[in-house]
């Protein structure tokens, strides 16, 4: 089954492509990373582990430009999560959110925005949950709260959850939202580690009104090679096609 291309329907409903990708602070092959993103032709990219330190804005802008996208929100001001978008998106507002800091742990946050495609409004949030199993459930609840607080008719949350579908945080998100891969499997499943994936710890979730047309690890797209997937970063991306009713 082919994944649908992005388009706007006659009534203003929109089909969009959404990509979630942990880029490991651009420490690997940035050219390969950009080629993977371009091959996926996304309207929105939910990035985790974006550069957070010296000249981080410049690094984010460079990745966006190489990927033929623009920076939407996030980066160091969200403790790593970043949002990129195509020029097809009409941006209403953005907000970077820092989560409570547990002493001795890495600071976490969300990159959020409300955007429009055609006549469809959607709230979006990129997240990277803690490595600490005790912290993750609370962060998952905060992610659900933040997505609801955006006040849009539709919502999409995506990111690196640091646990699989049997984990409590993943399960909580899947109970409240649609786990897009489970609803409409397409492509591959496991996302980590990139060279020999055996765990699905990266995911795209959508609110119930969103129609999931397909979701999974892209492996057969034109212009995308296994070599680029292996060298771009240590995670595999998750690509979803979603229909947002007007």
């Amino acid at each position: 089954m082919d994944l649908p291309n992005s388009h706007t329907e006659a009534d203003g409903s929109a089909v969009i492509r959404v990509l979630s990708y942990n880029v490991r602070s651009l420490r690997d092959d940035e050219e390969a990373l950009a080629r993977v993103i371009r091959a996926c032709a996304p309207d929105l990219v939910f990035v985790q582990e974006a550069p957070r330190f010296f000249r981080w804005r410049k690094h984010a802008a460079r990745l966006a430009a190489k990927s033929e996208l623009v920076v939407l929100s996030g980066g160091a001001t969200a403790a790593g999560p970043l949002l990129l978008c195509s020029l097809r998106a009409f941006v209403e507002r953005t907000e970077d959110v820092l989560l409570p800091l547990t002493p001795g742990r890495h600071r976490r946050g969300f990159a959020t925005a409300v955007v429009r495609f055609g006549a469809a409004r959607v709230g979006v949030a990129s997240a990277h949950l803690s490595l600490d199993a005790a912290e993750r459930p609370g962060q998952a609840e905060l992610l659900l709260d933040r997505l609801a607080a955006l006040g849009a008719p539709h919502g999409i949350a995506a990111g690196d959850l640091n646990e699989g579908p049997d984990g409590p945080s993943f399960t909580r998100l899947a109970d409240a939202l649609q786990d897009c891969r489970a609803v409409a499997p397409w492509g591959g499943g496991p996302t980590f580690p990139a060279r020999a994936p055996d765990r699905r710890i990266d995911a795209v979730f959508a609110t119930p009104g969103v129609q999931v047309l397909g979701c999974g690890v892209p492996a057969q797209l034109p212009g995308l090679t296994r070599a680029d997937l292996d060298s771009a970063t240590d995670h595999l991306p998750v690509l979803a096609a979603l229909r947002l009713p007007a």
Side-chain angles (χ1 to χ4, degrees):
M1 180 185 71
D2 291 334
L3 204 66
N5 292 322
S6 303
H7 62 273
T8 304
E9 299 176 349
D11 67 348
S13 298
V15 172
I16 65 171
R17 284 190 175 195
V18 168
L19 187 70
S20 184
Y21 212 172
N22 183 317
V23 303
R24 200 162 77 140
S25 298
L26 305 182
R27 289 181 297 187
D28 299 289
D29 187 338
E30 191 173 317
E31 299 301 325
L33 178 66
R35 286 193 295 269
V36 170
I37 295 174
R38 290 198 305 270
C40 292
D43 298 288
L44 293 166
V45 184
F46 295 67
V47 175
Q48 301 86 47
E49 288 194 38
R52 297 185 292 117
F53 300 110
F54 185 63
R55 293 184 175 175
W56 66 269
R57 288 184 175 86
K58 179 179 179 180
H59 295 309
R62 186 180 69 242
L63 175 63
K66 287 181 179 180
S67 305
E68 300 175 359
L69 301 166
V70 297
V71 174
L72 178 54
S73 70
T77 46
L82 175 74
L83 288 166
L84 307 179
C85 67
S86 71
L87 295 179
R88 189 170 171 234
F90 180 89
V91 182
E92 289 191 7
R93 67 182 189 273
T94 66
E95 183 179 4
D96 300 332
V97 180
L98 291 175
L99 302 186
L101 176 63
T102 300
R105 298 295 181 185
H106 174 63
R107 191 70 181 256
R108 301 287 172 173
F110 306 140
T112 75
V114 177
V115 297
R116 291 207 312 265
F117 294 95
R121 294 177 66 242
V122 60
V124 298
S126 178
H128 187 185
L129 301 190
S130 176
L131 287 166
D132 182 357
E135 276 194 308
R136 287 196 294 267
Q139 293 173 352
E141 289 294 341
L142 290 171
L143 179 58
L144 291 172
D145 291 346
R146 180 61 55 172
L147 194 65
L150 291 173
H154 308 299
I156 304 167
D160 177 356
L161 305 187
N162 273 315
E163 67 179 38
D166 57 345
S169 303
F170 199 123
T171 300
R172 175 69 181 103
L173 293 170
D175 285 345
L177 305 169
Q178 299 182 84
D179 172 6
C180 296
R181 167 70 185 173
V183 171
W186 170 90
T191 63
F192 184 82
R195 292 177 183 270
D198 58 8
R199 282 159 278 174
R200 185 165 78 94
I201 63 173
D202 304 85
V204 176
F205 299 91
T207 51
V210 175
Q211 182 182 0
V212 183
L213 304 175
C215 179
V217 173
Q220 307 297 327
L221 294 177
L224 194 156
T225 67
R226 183 72 238 182
D228 279 349
L229 287 171
D230 286 348
S231 59
T233 177
D234 62 340
H235 286 243
L236 293 175
V238 179
L239 179 63
L242 307 175
R243 181 178 179 275
L244 308 176

